[in-house]
Amino acid sequence: MKEKIIDMLKKRGVNLEEIAEIVLDMQGPYNEGLSFDECLWSVQMVIEKREVQHVILTGVTLDKLTEEKKIEEPLLSIIANDEPLYGVDETLAMGIATIYGTIGVTSFGYLDKAKPGIMGRLDKKESQLIHTFMDDIVAGIAAAAAARIAHTRETGEIEDDIS
Ligand code: MG
């Protein structure tokens, strides 16, 4: 299942490395010597979780069905236009951000506004691809991975990563 999810993200233009970059930018200033590999590992641990995999599956499927116009109106237009008052994409992805507690929620809020790195690219509507859910999913994964690093470094213990 994890490989399938990674493949799914890749097909939608998202590499785990790019998510790890965001995590490093966020957590680097607070964690001396934090490496890119540590961030990438944290991203991978987040994706191990079934609840995270389910959110990714659901969000990516909705983006794809919207591209193929296989959703009924008015929802089709709402998702296609990424309407500002449609908050279901954020609500869904928040489910990822919360798995390591409130630090993830705070980071998610920040990323949702700042849209760094790959998130900014996904947000630009230059291609035919719909990324209404994907940008929030990336924010959710990055926020959870950042929170995981914060907790792990603070307590010195690795949390139970496999759900
Ligand atoms: Mg969105």
Side-chain angles (χ1 to χ4, degrees), residues 79-97:
I79 299 178
N81 299 325
D82 198 2
E83 288 201 16
L85 291 179
Y86 179 72
V88 181
D89 43 350
E90 282 93 353
T91 308
L92 188 70
M94 185 73 90
I96 302 177

Side-chain angles (χ1 to χ4, degrees), residues 57-84:
L57 267 178
T58 306
V60 170
T61 300
L62 285 168
D63 277 347
K64 281 166 72 177
L65 288 175
T66 302
E67 271 168 27
E68 295 162 7
K69 298 194 167 31
K70 285 182 179 158
I71 289 179
E72 283 180 32
E73 292 290 7
L75 186 59
L76 179 67
S77 297
I78 292 172
I79 299 178
N81 299 325
D82 198 2
E83 288 201 16

Side-chain angles (χ1 to χ4, degrees), residues 15-161:
N15 289 311
L16 300 194
E17 284 78 9
E18 291 170 296
I19 305 178
E21 295 281 359
I22 297 176
V23 178
L24 184 59
D25 284 346
M26 259 194 308
Q27 282 298 312
Y30 309 106
N31 296 281
E32 220 187 309
L34 181 68
S35 69
F36 174 79
D37 284 349
E38 220 173 322
C39 295
L40 184 58
W41 174 251
S42 197
V43 167
Q44 276 165 340
M45 284 299 110
V46 169
I47 290 180
E48 290 276 355
K49 293 196 171 271
R50 190 167 304 262
E51 63 214 281
V52 172
Q53 295 173 352
H54 286 162
V55 170
I56 296 170
L57 267 178
T58 306
V60 170
T61 300
L62 285 168
D63 277 347
K64 281 166 72 177
L65 288 175
T66 302
E67 271 168 27
E68 295 162 7
K69 298 194 167 31
K70 285 182 179 158
I71 289 179
E72 283 180 32
E73 292 290 7
L75 186 59
L76 179 67
S77 297
I78 292 172
I79 299 178
N81 299 325
D82 198 2
E83 288 201 16
L85 291 179
Y86 179 72
V88 181
D89 43 350
E90 282 93 353
T91 308
L92 188 70
M94 185 73 90
I96 302 177
T98 56
I99 59 174
Y100 292 107
T102 50
I103 300 174
V105 179
T106 316
S107 303
F108 183 80
Y110 162 75
L111 291 174
D112 194 45
K113 289 277 162 291
K115 299 192 190 302
I118 187 182
M119 286 185 64
R121 211 182 72 218
L122 291 171
D123 196 47
K124 281 192 203 117
K125 294 165 184 76
E126 55 198 14
S127 70
Q128 294 298 94
L129 295 180
I130 304 284
H131 292 304
T132 297
F133 282 86
M134 185 55 95
D135 60 339
D136 300 285
I137 287 171
V138 169
I141 297 170
R148 183 186 171 280
I149 287 170
H151 284 294
T152 307
R153 289 216 160 201
E154 188 67 35
T155 59
E157 61 195 37
I158 305 294
E159 309 199 4
D160 177 29
D161 278 314

